[in-house]
Amino acid sequence: MAAAVSIRGVTKRFGTDVTAVSNVTLDIVDGEFFSLLGPSGCGKTTMLRMIAGLEFPTEGSIQIFGEELALRPPNKRPVNTVFQSYALFPHMNVEKNVSFGLEMRKVDKAEIGERVAEAIEAVHLKGMEKRKPSQLSGGQQQRVALARALVNRPKVLLLDEPLGALDLKLRQAMQMELKDIQSEVGITFIYVTHDQEEALTMSNRIGVMNFGNLLQVGTPEEIYERPVNRFVADFIGETNFIKGTVTDDGAIRLTNGSVVHVRTDAPSGADVTITLRPEKLRIHALDADDINPARNQLPSTVTRRLYYGESIYYEVAISDGTLLDVRHENIPSLRRWDVGDEVIISFHRDAGEALLS
Amino acid sequence: MTLLDDRTSEEANPELEKKAERAESWRGFFVALPTYVFLVLFFVLPLIIIAVISFAERSRTGKPILGEWTLEWWIKLGDPLVRSVTFRSIWLAFLNTAFSLLLGYPFAYWIATRKKAMTRNFLLVLVLIPFWSNFLVRTYAWRTLLDSNGMITKIGEATGLWGKMLFTEPAVFLGLLYGYLPFMVLPLYAAIEHLDWNLVEAARDLYAGAWKAFRKVTLPLSMPGIIAGSILVFIPSLGAYVTPDLLGGSKTTLLGNYIVTQFKSGRNWPFGAALSVTILVIMMIATVIYFKKGGKTL
């Protein structure tokens, strides 16, 4: 596992009272699609800019393939960036935009022509070489930005919310394309996004950030199934929170007195919050006798029903008034419930995670 | 049915659009009418009068005699004296434009890149402060500075670098530079302030050093400001009257002064008129060339 990018104790302060990135340590593996995920202002873009050299860290070290370059100017780094707003040069045509980096590095003219043509073809913009950026659609501009960065064959490609400005359909198509391009060129991608779905579907690994801190690093599945704290659980996907206390035998006693079993690392007596994804809950009739014994059961009342097409959302209240969202697939084998129905909700022991609160 | 509907609407639309366009353009015309009238009365008409006068014979008082026509004044433009005055004027206007750009660009860049809007506005006000006092008064101040006892002359003598500059070409140049520098700084500031700095970062990311990024991105993108500023400096410099009149000597006559002389002591209105038309043509040619050259990089 060669580290493409090795970040050690990196902190970035703006002035005296703004800490954008706080003591981040992270290794990004060669060839991996790594996403930095978090809400706006969480420090993910600043982290990316420090790798690009557009900001310098206040403290810490950044190495790319073993080479220390925390304080090196951006033009002397083996990385290229796809900017959020594309930042295409408006006074140059597509070809000139793409060849810019190679020309700056004084690559041989014939080679520039070859590589530029190749890159433009790779992003399906053949025939548009002489157009100015203003004559291109958003998706096409996005492709130019990608070609302009990739043509330099960087060791690491940095992408700052590159799909943020595109509409949903185009964004989904570009997600696939980006993924394909990445596996084709085999370059390490570091992808900044606030879109958790995008991060989950595209990444090999995700780093979740908030308030400048790196909270959790893991595969999409690890992040979704085993969040380390409330913020991560809440930010990635939808979830329910139920408060409780760890009992002596490792179960959780809820505030309404019921006892449930879920995964936990918390010591006995600790106050915890259980996170439970809506799709992992099931609603049963009060007299149901076919519930798997490995599932916890809580009596509750249906308080709301929302029809989503592919699924149906129920809001149910357990006896202490805590409201939970339940997602049922829209399939005939799952009975429809009405508001006011007295029911039992169930969830598997491995479905939830009790986090220290 | 739908087909038919589509066709009728397609046929009806261009006509409707034309009508709307015409109505819109008439509305625009009425809004602009007062300005039109003003410009025609006080700008176009006098210009025509001047052009006509330049072909008239002159009376003994110097006024034109309408009805007796001649090309004498246009032929007189070829005189060596006229030519040297014209070239000196163009040269000084060019020099002034070049130096204004050289001094103005870094300054405008510096103002435009201040982070706080307050600081930027304050610096802009400083640029505008000279306009709060009369141009004539300010030019007289230069006269004092450049005279034998003036501070600038004393500094020059103390360092042995220059002597008394008043009534020489350098004095006129300094006066022009001083007078028109703000007209360069303001459009440059506007252009640089509107720059998308992401583009500079993109250039840096694509292996351009700071200077290369400036030359390849910042400079071409601030071209509109450079063009506007250059025109705003070149044109008034070419026709300058007060500055060369107060700071220059008899050997540094510029077109502006030369024209005034024709109307006053020279008693030759028609020749003054021919010179005025000439200066106008030079300005127009210079502007067109500049726009064409600059336009390519836009």
Side-chain angles (χ1 to χ4, degrees):
Chain A
M1 283 234 303
V5 180
S6 174
I7 297 161
R8 290 279 169 277
V10 163
T11 294
K12 176 67 183 178
R13 278 186 284 270
F14 291 108
T16 48
D17 43 46
V18 182
T19 305
V21 170
S22 167
N23 194 21
V24 166
T25 293
L26 171 67
D27 276 322
I28 294 164
V29 181
D30 187 14
E32 136 173 270
F33 195 120
F34 189 93
S35 289
L36 280 169
L37 176 66
S40 65
C42 72
K44 58 191 193 295
T45 294
T46 307
M47 192 60 243
L48 194 80
R49 288 170 61 82
M50 285 193 283
I51 302 171
L54 299 168
E55 300 296 345
F56 296 129
T58 316
E59 286 162 29
S61 132
I62 298 174
Q63 293 187 354
I64 294 181
F65 290 100
E67 213 179 332
E68 174 63 42
L69 35 67
L71 300 176
R72 203 186 281 184
N75 49 321
K76 300 200 169 133
R77 297 186 184 214
V79 303
N80 287 111
T81 308
V82 176
F83 289 83
Q84 185 170 16
S85 52
Y86 315 140
L88 299 178
F89 306 124
H91 56 303
M92 298 179 196
N93 62 27
V94 169
E95 203 170 32
K96 284 278 158 203
N97 263 284
V98 176
S99 65
F100 191 91
L102 297 175
E103 268 164 29
M104 287 301 117
R105 282 199 305 185
K106 303 212 163 59
V107 174
D108 181 63
K109 273 254 170 3
E111 196 191 335
I112 292 181
E114 235 169 76
R115 276 166 73 173
V116 167
E118 207 175 283
I120 288 176
E121 185 149 15
V123 295
H124 314 300
L125 285 175
K126 214 165 178 239
M128 310 244 179
E129 289 88 346
K130 301 294 175 207
R131 293 219 193 152
K132 290 273 178 78
S134 57
Q135 295 166 304
L136 300 176
S137 70
Q140 289 168 334
Q141 291 183 26
Q142 163 68 58
R143 286 152 198 273
V144 178
L146 199 60
R148 185 177 70 173
L150 280 173
V151 76
N152 303 295
R153 297 178 189 152
K155 287 183 176 164
V156 179
L157 185 72
L158 309 173
L159 302 104
D160 186 7
E161 308 219 15
L163 307 181
L166 304 179
D167 59 58
L168 185 68
K169 276 265 154 59
L170 195 54
R171 198 157 75 216
Q172 285 169 342
M174 281 304 290
Q175 283 176 12
M176 304 278 245
E177 211 172 313
L178 267 180
K179 200 62 189 140
D180 289 346
I181 288 173
Q182 197 253 344
S183 42
E184 227 166 87
V185 296
I187 293 173
T188 310
F189 276 33
I190 304 180
Y191 191 96
V192 158
T193 182
H194 66 267
D195 183 334
Q196 40 101 8
E197 204 179 289
E198 206 167 274
L200 288 176
T201 53
M202 296 174 79
S203 322
N204 297 117
R205 283 194 308 154
I206 299 172
V208 184
M209 288 186 75
N210 194 29
F211 294 124
N213 295 302
L214 186 62
L215 301 176
Q216 186 174 3
V217 177
T219 63
E221 210 167 332
E222 284 165 356
I223 298 270
Y224 187 79
E225 305 289 345
R226 309 218 51 184
V228 293
N229 62 26
R230 250 189 99 124
F231 175 82
V232 176
D234 199 23
F235 189 74
I236 319 287
E238 286 167 64
T239 198
N240 296 297
F241 290 120
I242 313 172
K243 286 189 180 302
T245 316
V246 182
T247 62
D248 289 340
D249 51 358
I252 317 286
R253 184 181 305 281
L254 308 186
T255 45
N256 66 1
S258 316
V259 173
V260 296
H261 294 270
V262 290
R263 287 184 308 229
T264 189
D265 300 327
S268 67
D271 286 333
V272 290
T273 301
I274 302 172
T275 160
L276 265 176
R277 303 284 183 193
E279 74 274 12
K280 308 208 170 184
L281 291 164
R282 275 282 171 276
I283 302 176
H284 312 267
L286 275 180
D287 55 359
D289 52 6
D290 57 345
I291 302 173
N292 183 333
R295 296 179 76 87
N296 298 287
Q297 300 183 23
L298 290 172
S300 40
T301 314
V302 176
T303 54
R304 202 189 286 267
R305 184 172 82 186
L306 290 173
Y307 180 77
Y308 269 75
E310 92 279 3
S311 61
I312 293 155
Y313 264 82
Y314 296 97
E315 183 191 71
V316 301
I318 55 175
S319 64
D320 63 358
T322 305
L323 296 173
L324 303 177
D325 288 333
V326 181
R327 190 174 88 96
H328 269 194
E329 279 169 89
N330 187 4
I331 49 176
S333 60
L334 285 175
R335 181 179 154 187
R336 292 277 177 92
W337 302 95
D338 292 314
V339 172
D341 284 354
E342 297 290 325
V343 295
I344 287 176
I345 56 162
S346 75
F347 53 93
H348 197 275
R349 287 161 180 259
D350 295 335
E353 183 90 19
L355 305 164
L356 277 170
S357 46
Chain B
M1 185 64 202
T2 9
L3 246 174
L4 200 72
D5 276 349
D6 276 358
R7 270 172 71 193
T8 45
S9 71
E10 241 170 61
E11 271 164 13
N13 261 345
E15 213 169 288
L16 260 178
E17 254 169 49
K18 247 185 226 162
K19 261 189 190 167
E21 231 168 72
R22 224 174 292 145
E24 184 63 38
S25 112
W26 271 108
R27 249 199 304 283
F29 176 77
F30 284 118
V31 171
L33 191 61
T35 318
Y36 268 125
V37 171
F38 186 88
L39 285 176
V40 168
L41 272 182
F42 299 108
F43 190 75
V44 179
L45 222 58
L47 267 180
I48 292 169
I49 294 171
I50 286 174
V52 169
I53 285 175
S54 73
F55 292 101
E57 285 284 3
R58 68 160 173 161
S59 70
R60 217 175 293 163
T61 57
K63 293 192 177 168
I65 308 170
L66 295 174
E68 291 175 35
W69 308 109
T70 174
L71 282 176
E72 190 188 343
W73 317 119
W74 284 92
I75 293 161
K76 200 174 145 83
L77 287 176
D79 280 5
L81 174 68
V82 181
R83 262 190 295 179
S84 79
V85 168
T86 310
F87 285 129
R88 189 186 299 130
S89 295
I90 294 175
W91 169 243
L92 263 177
F94 170 76
L95 212 62
N96 186 29
T97 310
F99 272 83
S100 296
L101 189 57
L102 235 52
L103 287 177
Y105 200 99
F107 186 55
Y109 185 92
W110 182 71
I111 301 177
T113 48
R114 294 309 91 198
K115 280 215 175 72
K116 285 185 192 155
M118 267 276 285
T119 320
R120 290 201 300 271
N121 291 337
F122 174 73
L123 290 166
L124 279 180
V125 168
L126 287 188
V127 174
L128 292 172
I129 276 182
F131 293 113
W132 297 359
S133 64
N134 186 287
F135 184 61
L136 204 60
V137 174
R138 284 182 283 138
T139 309
Y140 266 108
W142 272 97
R143 208 167 153 146
T144 316
L145 286 170
L146 295 172
D147 210 348
S148 327
N149 292 320
M151 187 144 41
I152 291 177
T153 312
K154 290 228 162 123
I155 292 170
E157 278 165 355
T159 55
L161 292 175
W162 62 81
K164 179 187 148 185
M165 275 190 275
L166 191 59
F167 307 134
T168 65
E169 223 171 87
V172 177
F173 169 67
L174 275 176
L176 288 174
L177 186 59
Y178 164 79
Y180 296 118
L181 188 57
F183 294 107
M184 182 62 90
V185 173
L186 295 177
L188 280 177
Y189 167 81
I192 299 167
E193 212 245 336
H194 277 108
L195 243 158
D196 180 0
W197 295 104
N198 277 324
L199 299 175
V200 179
E201 289 194 336
R204 297 298 313 272
D205 184 69
L206 293 163
Y207 313 107
W211 170 247
K212 264 281 170 65
F214 173 78
R215 251 199 44 215
K216 293 276 180 185
V217 175
T218 314
L219 195 63
L221 290 178
S222 45
M223 205 42 95
I226 295 176
I227 289 176
S230 298
I231 287 170
L232 285 178
V233 171
F234 183 82
I235 287 178
S237 303
L238 189 62
Y241 168 65
V242 172
T243 315
D245 196 53
L246 291 181
L247 302 178
S250 53
K251 281 183 190 158
T252 58
T253 306
L254 297 186
L255 269 174
N257 316 81
Y258 195 56
I259 291 169
V260 172
T261 314
Q262 301 315 315
F263 282 92
K264 291 164 96 180
S265 55
R267 293 191 182 177
N268 196 343
W269 287 30
F271 184 47
L275 283 167
S276 301
V277 175
T278 310
I279 209 172
L280 200 81
V281 170
I282 296 173
M283 284 174 185
M284 275 167 62
I285 292 171
T287 312
V288 168
I289 291 175
Y290 215 88
F291 263 117
K292 283 239 160 117
K293 284 217 95 176
K296 274 186 206 149
T297 58
L298 289 185

